Amino acid sequence: MVAAHADDEALGCGGTIARHVAEGDRVHLVLMADGVHSRSGASPADLERRLAAATAAQKILGIGEVHYLGFPDNRMDSLPLLDIVQALEPVLQALSPQVVYTHHHGDLNIDHRITQQAVMTACRPQPGHSVKEIYGFEVLSSTEWTFPQHDPFLPNLFIEITAQLETKQRALDAYAEELRPVPHSRSMEHVEALARHRGYSVGVEAAEAFVVYRLIR
Ligand SMILES: [Zn+2]
């Protein structure tokens, strides 16, 4: 899975990651931005806390390796897309994934949009390419905050996470600093409400929703 910032993986598909792991799949995470640089007053201590949170969430979700590409947080648009793709390509080639989860192309956050574009470019379906499936997840306070007439998130893949919702919530507990109290969109209550909404929409107790970018059978 390829995400812009540490915490996007837990918000967007923490339950799905835990389910893949429970089903015996290996899951690796690539984080494009380091998640701290653009914040005012960010210090090495902030960076350390965020890395510690990411490592704690990694263990809870059962993620194997985490690769940090270290691009500047919320300023990935200051770099040529080619540079970003060229940093991502060798990592994906080494991991040789069959399934890639990444951001929705319409997110408000610029790093999310660029990450999605970089994934689609790095995963061009050339002969012999390992990637057979690419899915876009939703991240609260970015996917639903975009101008909806532009690129609405219209999910057409639902993955049941009834048995993994509690694991997802524990992973997000590790990122407690990134969450806000209700009625903020990025709150634990909203995480659960969204999982229930996506689940009830398809007749299960809890789910995560995705758009299908590519599916090769
Ligand atoms: Zn993010």
Side-chain angles (χ1 to χ4, degrees), residues 4-5 7-8 103 109 112:
H5 315 106
D7 81 352
D8 290 331
H103 288 282
N109 187 284
H112 293 189

Side-chain angles (χ1 to χ4, degrees), residues 184-199:
H184 195 286
S185 175
R186 194 156 20 92
S187 59
M188 195 61 101
E189 288 85 347
H190 197 189
V191 167
E192 169 153 14
L194 181 65
R196 297 294 180 199
H197 170 62
R198 294 308 187 193

Side-chain angles (χ1 to χ4, degrees), residues 86-192:
Q86 283 178 346
L88 180 60
E89 261 175 348
V91 177
L92 287 181
Q93 264 161 24
L95 293 172
S96 194
Q98 292 170 4
V99 184
V100 175
Y101 294 92
T102 191
H103 288 282
H104 182 243
H105 64 278
D107 275 13
L108 184 64
N109 187 284
I110 187 73
D111 295 345
H112 293 189
R113 293 206 299 271
I114 291 171
T115 296
Q116 193 273 347
Q117 227 183 327
V119 165
M120 295 308 290
T121 310
C123 297
R124 297 182 302 286
Q126 304 183 84
H129 202 280
S130 70
V131 179
K132 305 295 180 215
E133 300 166 44
I134 305 175
Y135 303 122
F137 50 73
E138 58 184 331
V139 172
L140 288 174
S141 79
S142 189
T143 309
E144 87 285 22
W145 278 5
T146 198
F147 180 56
Q149 274 70 27
H150 219 229
D151 289 306
F153 180 77
L154 300 171
N156 51 4
L157 169 68
F158 296 80
I159 297 183
E160 182 177 3
I161 60 158
T162 304
Q164 290 81 26
L165 179 56
E166 190 258 329
T167 306
K168 172 174 179 150
Q169 287 167 318
R170 274 195 294 126
L172 284 165
D173 274 337
Y175 288 118
E177 271 188 44
E178 310 302 324
L179 297 178
R180 301 286 176 268
V182 275
H184 195 286
S185 175
R186 194 156 20 92
S187 59
M188 195 61 101
E189 288 85 347
H190 197 189
V191 167
E192 169 153 14

Side-chain angles (χ1 to χ4, degrees), residues 44-63:
D46 286 339
L47 180 61
E48 221 162 89
R49 265 206 311 282
R50 208 166 157 83
L51 285 178
T55 305
Q58 175 192 357
K59 288 204 181 102
I60 292 163
L61 295 175
I63 293 169

